[in-house]
Amino acid sequence: RVGLLDGVFGGLVEGERDIFADPDETLGDATRLRLVLLRDGGLNAEDDADEPLAVEERRAEAVQTLAERRGVRCDVVTAEGGSALERLASLTAVPDFASIYLALAHGLDPMAVPAITEMKELSNQ
């Protein structure tokens, strides 16, 4: 998925930018990629994990560095809480709220997802 950073909404946008253009006039209609990293923060390093915590941390930092080098904005949401369930809830609440808020702002029903309905219909055949 890191390849998206070089795509038409990532690094390629900067390559097509006119260096003499007024930034206030040209930024309005450009669609840009924005990366949101969800990080556990290593609060429970003794848990059994598929990969060592150090590998996960280095990978997340590398992705963030790649994004910043390409001019892709990057936000980091770090888990909060003392248990695994609390940390999971703190990470899922942010994108869940954002997706519902954006759907409502665009006049869409956030619960009506045609692809999910179609998937259910296809799997019941």
Side-chain angles (χ1 to χ4, degrees):
R1 295 178 184 86
V2 183
L4 292 172
L5 298 176
D6 288 327
V8 295
F9 299 118
L12 288 180
V13 171
E14 284 298 310
E16 297 174 3
R17 185 174 62 95
D18 180 5
I19 61 171
F20 300 107
D22 183 4
D24 292 331
E25 292 179 9
T26 57
L27 290 179
D29 58 353
T31 299
R32 292 296 312 261
L33 183 67
R34 183 178 201 116
L35 178 66
V36 179
L37 288 174
L38 303 176
R39 311 246 339 234
D40 185 13
L43 298 177
N44 207 358
E46 65 273 359
D47 278 351
D48 292 332
D50 293 336
E51 297 185 61
L53 183 62
V55 172
E56 291 177 13
E57 291 293 317
R58 283 195 311 269
R59 189 174 292 147
E61 289 168 9
V63 169
Q64 187 173 358
T65 300
L66 285 171
E68 290 169 353
R69 286 181 182 172
R70 285 155 175 79
V72 174
R73 293 177 293 176
C74 184
D75 292 311
V76 179
V77 178
T78 305
E80 298 176 1
S83 71
L85 183 59
E86 288 175 321
R87 291 193 313 276
L88 176 63
S90 73
L91 291 177
T92 57
V94 173
D96 188 47
F97 174 79
S99 67
I100 291 173
Y101 182 81
L102 287 171
L104 293 174
H106 288 284
L108 302 171
D109 179 1
M111 298 305 291
V113 181
I116 292 175
T117 304
E118 189 176 346
M119 177 68 179
K120 288 178 181 177
E121 290 171 0
L122 289 172
S123 63
N124 288 333
Q125 291 180 359

